[in-house]
Amino acid sequence: MRRRTSKRTAEDMTSTAPPAAARPSGGGIRARGMLALAAAGALALGACSGSGGKKAEESAGAGSERMTVAMITHSGPGDTFWDIVQKGAQAAAGKGNVEFLYSADPDGGKQAQLVQAAIDKKVDGIIVTFAKPDALKDVVARATAAKIPVVSINSGADVSAGFGAIAHFGQDETIAGEAAGRELSRIGARRALCVIHEQGNVGLEDRCAGAKKTFGGRLENLFVQGTNMPQVKSSITAKLQADKDVDGILTLGAPFASTAVDSVKEAGGKAKVGTFDMNKDLVASLKAGTIEFAVDQQPYLQGYGAVDALWLMRHNGNTVGGGRPVLTGPAIVTRDTAGAIEKFAAQGTR
């Protein structure tokens, strides 16, 4: 199930070749602002509904000045969520004559070094995650001082504008957590675990805190080492063996959901599993009923919207969001609704 994502250092950050333009998927989008963004992007790029493929990309980018955008996230290896974010970003880059660079490190200090490397390259725009905002504050200030516009995605909606970012694309993690808490109650759980796979990630902690607000039972945080899946499994299994009353598990990323299911089997328990985020394998698990629900923040939209926002600012002086986050979730996916997005998950965009 795990698929490795690229992890680059400041020294070897390189360009990724954008694929043919893809269309962002719909379905349960809470990001009302994205409709206006998509329409504005289509007008600005001179897109034509009767064209497609490479010709459409060349037409869209024709006459636009080449620009370079660097995305630096807190992703660890093996997290398929960030593959989907990159696909969205690459699709937007492919239609807009944008060179797209990607690098990542889950360590806040090292992530900041990668942002500094992008500044030193004199890129035209930076996309960043604020999972560990204190580590990024100073370097983002250096980016804005260098007149490089910054867009944040995924985490840090509450600090984004204060740090000088021109826009933020993502979900409100507390609200998303509240949605997950209600789902845990719906499936009948009374004693649940919230599995945090990266300590110090404020977004993950907000999800669990939100779930505690709305869950009708008792929810306990369980910290695991997300970059070591065997350790994740052993930690969940040990907890289930020690506490036979646990009847619900909430994981905060798709790769960890199937591991939690394996842990339940190994421990001989009956806990039901719900999760955040999506991928192809998770859709199959939802349809099979082995995973009860997923809270989808639509990562493709985050990557696509962020690149588009930087393109629109450079080429038309546009800003989006009005100083507030552009919401891409939460969208709840269950066994009953998984089939509607299955084809998009199969192509790696949901």
Side-chain angles (χ1 to χ4, degrees), residues 63-344:
S64 64
E65 180 184 355
R66 180 75 165 170
M67 65 182 294
T68 301
V69 170
M71 177 184 287
I72 305 100
T73 77
H74 62 278
S75 170
D79 193 340
T80 55
F81 176 92
W82 294 102
D83 296 336
I84 303 174
V85 173
Q86 288 183 70
K87 282 193 175 182
Q90 288 165 345
K95 70 177 176 59
N97 197 18
V98 175
E99 180 183 11
F100 175 68
L101 310 175
Y102 181 80
S103 59
D105 201 295
D107 180 272
K110 293 178 180 178
Q111 185 188 4
Q113 292 174 10
L114 292 171
V115 175
Q116 184 60 57
I119 296 171
D120 294 341
K121 278 180 170 285
K122 296 181 169 53
V123 299
D124 301 301
I126 290 174
I127 302 167
V128 68
T129 58
F130 290 131
K132 299 178 176 71
D134 290 344
L136 277 296
K137 183 177 182 179
D138 290 344
V139 73
V140 169
R142 290 196 288 274
T144 57
K147 307 300 183 184
I148 300 174
V150 175
V151 171
S152 61
I153 61 170
N154 182 255
S155 55
D158 55 336
V159 301
S160 176
F163 282 10
I166 63 169
H168 177 85
F169 293 84
Q171 68 183 2
D172 184 303
E173 300 292 11
T174 299
I175 292 174
E178 291 171 358
R182 286 189 287 269
E183 289 297 305
L184 283 172
S185 295
R186 181 186 63 79
I187 65 176
R190 299 299 302 168
R191 173 85 169 84
L193 302 175
C194 189
V195 182
I196 298 179
H197 57 267
E198 183 183 343
Q199 285 191 276
N201 184 322
V202 293
L204 300 184
E205 292 171 0
D206 286 347
R207 290 178 181 181
C208 291
K212 285 181 181 179
K213 290 182 181 179
T214 56
F215 179 47
R218 178 184 172 191
L219 185 68
E220 176 185 350
N221 291 353
L222 176 66
F223 292 93
V224 298
Q225 186 180 341
T227 55
N228 185 342
M229 201 61 76
Q231 190 275 340
V232 173
K233 181 180 177 181
S234 64
S235 295
I236 298 175
T237 301
K239 182 63 177 177
L240 293 175
Q241 291 172 337
D243 190 346
K244 299 296 185 180
D245 291 331
V246 173
D247 58 2
I249 299 175
L250 177 64
T251 60
L252 305 183
F256 308 103
S258 62
T259 298
V261 171
D262 292 341
S263 292
V264 173
K265 293 177 180 177
E266 186 172 313
K270 297 182 179 180
K272 296 179 179 179
V273 178
T275 190
F276 279 74
D277 301 331
M278 298 286 300
N279 62 27
K280 178 177 65 175
D281 294 329
L282 187 65
V283 170
S285 297
L286 286 166
K287 292 183 68 178
T290 55
I291 294 174
E292 299 289 329
F293 66 87
V295 182
D296 183 18
Q297 61 176 304
Q298 302 179 118
Y300 186 95
L301 283 178
Q302 294 178 15
Y304 192 100
V307 171
D308 245 11
L310 290 168
W311 192 98
L312 287 166
M313 166 163 263
R314 182 176 180 86
H315 295 286
N316 204 46
N318 295 121
T319 58
V320 296
R324 294 179 179 273
V326 179
L327 299 182
T328 63
I332 303 298
V333 184
T334 65
R335 185 175 189 173
D336 293 336
T337 59
I341 64 171
E342 185 174 16
K343 67 179 181 179
F344 304 117

